[in-house]
Amino acid sequence: MTRFGRIVLFPILALCAAATGPVAAAPFSIPGLSQPSTCRGVEGQSAAFGGRRTFLIDGEALTAIKAAREPAVREAIADLTVRADRALARKAGSVVDKTRLPPSGDRHDYTSLAPYWWPDPKTPNGPYVRRDGEVNPERSTDAFDREALGRMVSDADTLGLAYFYTGEPRYAGKAASIVRAWFLDPATRMNSNMDFAQAVPGRERGRPEGVLDSSGFMQVIDAVGLIAPSGALTAAETKRLEAWFSDYVDWMLTSRNGRGEQAAKNNHGLWYDAQLIQFALFARRADIAEKTILAFPQARIAAQFDPSGALPAELARTRSFHYSLYALNPAFDVAKLATCFGYDLWNYSDPEGRSLRKATDLVAGYRGARERWPHPERAWPEAELEALLTRADDAWGPGSYPRAAAGPTLLRTRPRPTRP
């Protein structure tokens, strides 16, 4: 066993077999967790979820929701199918659709503009200048790939869920075509790098921060798992997709931008770890995923969390509460993915008391009390807080963080009673 601070983490027996074959499918309990994990290393939840190899989507929850068909759930499914039908009508996007050629000259290289950088009014043709919290709308034009990536992720996620809840083959087929266009088709596929992501004109052709742009691929991987029973993606195509992500994992570990993002000591570092773990799991590289999980308490919690529960690097931002939540979400992802190896990060605490639970308690204390938040915040992110606390209530047990699940949330997690 491996010891993190005061908490002993319990690995699954015979975990070393995960890289070459599935771990035994019987559920196991991790001490301290309210729900047993059904994730089994690189096989994800496939054994307990009808062959659907998901990692972050909870198969047991979705199965229970689908079986219950409560009125609110039926309404949410109806709304989901409306959005899925819209996705059916859209052309599958790709990185070759952009109008501006990347610095490499290869249209298959992803490019995007850093969100908070703007032309300098004092020097219109000079280097861009930073305005924290203010997104430059130029970022969303078809000169870059960011909007196309966002649509691809949203459509794949919507169609994957719609296929699961309705069984309609055309939703799976469209999701598969979206994945092919972005990752597999030689004519349109993205090169497996983020060398030119979040560029700053006049300063940098691409930055480590650009690795954050690929975080949406986490949803795509689970969408691929959701459509697996349809056969819309063939076994050979799935292997090629795994190979694409294996190449991207190598890029994350060895490139200048990848290494720079790994060294980040704010939300970017947390998102880097969450991506690397899930991508490595999907690519069947269990050693990389487990190594990142085992390093997480020292590399992230000790370095980025305060014993009070605050995340100091996020408090310096103009949207400090938003970024505190934004940093906790990938930390939650890492804790969820850690259960695939039998590790309990949800209840980990270091000798000074730094923990996910304490950080969650801190932000939960400002629910309905935005006026008490003592740091800068441009726009109070109430919906983001409720979404995070819904995840927290799942992690630490019913009633830990009473919530009101509504709309799309109802299709991802079982609702529980809210506080009177």
Side-chain angles (χ1 to χ4, degrees):
M1 293 187 294
T2 302
R3 183 176 297 275
F4 282 171
R6 295 195 297 263
I7 301 297
V8 178
L9 303 185
F10 297 83
I12 303 172
L13 295 176
L15 177 62
C16 59
T20 56
V23 178
F28 66 98
S29 295
I30 302 175
L33 291 188
S34 62
Q35 299 290 332
S37 175
T38 56
C39 189
R40 294 290 179 273
V42 299
E43 296 302 327
Q45 299 188 43
S46 57
F49 196 21
R52 299 173 181 90
R53 189 170 165 243
T54 62
F55 296 95
L56 291 170
I57 283 181
D58 188 332
E60 285 191 335
L62 265 64
T63 301
I65 294 165
K66 186 176 180 179
R69 293 288 182 146
E70 298 173 356
V73 169
R74 291 199 298 270
E75 183 178 341
I77 292 174
D79 176 70
L80 174 69
T81 58
V82 168
R83 291 184 284 116
D85 288 343
R86 291 175 185 152
L88 285 176
R90 276 191 285 271
K91 171 183 174 289
S94 77
V95 291
V96 302
D97 294 336
K98 58 179 169 287
T99 60
R100 185 177 299 179
L101 199 64
S104 63
D106 185 348
R107 196 171 293 279
H108 293 267
D109 284 330
Y110 175 93
T111 61
S112 66
L113 187 69
Y116 303 140
W117 291 80
W118 295 69
D120 185 349
K122 298 178 182 178
T123 314
N125 296 320
Y128 278 27
V129 294
R130 191 167 190 265
R131 289 157 55 176
D132 188 34
E134 299 180 44
V135 177
N136 183 348
E138 182 185 358
R139 183 174 189 250
S140 300
T141 66
D142 61 5
F144 304 100
D145 293 312
R146 184 66 186 86
E147 282 298 296
L149 184 150
R151 285 192 302 272
M152 182 273 294
V153 169
S154 177
D155 285 352
D157 177 65
T158 297
L159 290 160
L161 280 173
Y163 172 70
F164 173 78
Y165 281 111
T166 69
E168 176 58 57
R170 60 189 180 137
Y171 294 145
K174 182 66 174 184
S177 71
I178 287 171
V179 170
R180 286 191 197 98
W182 197 274
F183 297 100
L184 300 177
D185 187 339
T188 59
R189 71 190 294 270
M190 173 184 162
N191 291 335
S192 51
N193 70 71
M194 283 282 176
D195 289 334
F196 307 110
Q198 293 204 18
V200 179
R203 297 181 184 274
E204 297 176 275
R205 301 198 310 173
R207 304 184 304 151
E209 291 87 343
V211 180
L212 185 62
D213 284 14
S214 61
S215 61
F217 295 165
M218 299 172 75
Q219 292 173 258
V220 175
I221 284 174
D222 274 2
V224 168
L226 287 175
I227 68 170
S230 73
L233 274 179
T234 68
E237 287 175 323
T238 302
K239 287 296 182 186
R240 287 169 54 205
L241 188 62
E242 290 171 6
W244 191 99
F245 276 95
S246 185
D247 289 344
Y248 188 65
V249 164
D250 287 337
W251 180 88
M252 290 180 74
L253 291 170
T254 62
S255 67
R256 181 188 74 89
N257 283 352
R259 292 195 306 270
E261 190 76 336
Q262 186 178 43
K265 298 301 182 184
N266 64 352
N267 66 82
H268 282 265
L270 293 162
W271 278 108
Y272 177 94
D273 281 5
Q275 291 185 71
L276 183 64
I277 293 165
Q278 194 203 21
F279 298 165
L281 282 168
F282 182 71
R284 301 184 183 276
R285 299 177 68 177
D287 55 334
I288 293 172
E290 188 182 18
K291 179 180 178 181
T292 308
I293 290 165
L294 291 172
F296 191 82
Q298 187 63 35
R300 302 303 178 195
I301 295 179
Q304 295 180 228
F305 289 61
D306 187 87
S308 70
L311 287 87
E314 314 310 327
L315 299 183
R317 305 295 297 271
T318 60
R319 297 206 59 203
S320 58
F321 197 77
H322 158 76
Y323 274 106
S324 295
L325 303 178
Y326 190 64
L328 281 174
N329 268 299
F332 278 25
D333 288 342
V334 172
K336 177 79 171 177
L337 294 167
T339 68
C340 299
F341 292 94
Y343 296 123
D344 180 7
L345 283 174
W346 294 112
N347 296 296
Y348 163 78
S349 178
D350 79 359
E352 285 73 43
R354 299 179 182 90
S355 69
L356 297 186
R357 186 68 185 265
K358 188 171 284 187
T360 304
D361 285 344
L362 186 145
V363 296
Y366 292 94
R367 194 182 210 176
R370 61 179 297 177
E371 70 282 354
R372 293 196 292 105
W373 180 249
H375 307 286
E377 179 53 61
R378 289 175 177 269
W380 191 253
E382 182 177 354
E384 294 174 37
L385 176 59
E386 291 301 324
L388 183 82
L389 295 183
T390 295
R391 297 187 69 185
D393 195 51
D394 274 344
W396 285 292
S400 299
Y401 300 92
R403 76 216 188 180
T409 305
L410 289 172
L411 302 182
R412 296 179 185 271
T413 182
R414 282 167 285 200
R416 295 191 174 112
T418 57
R419 179 178 297 151

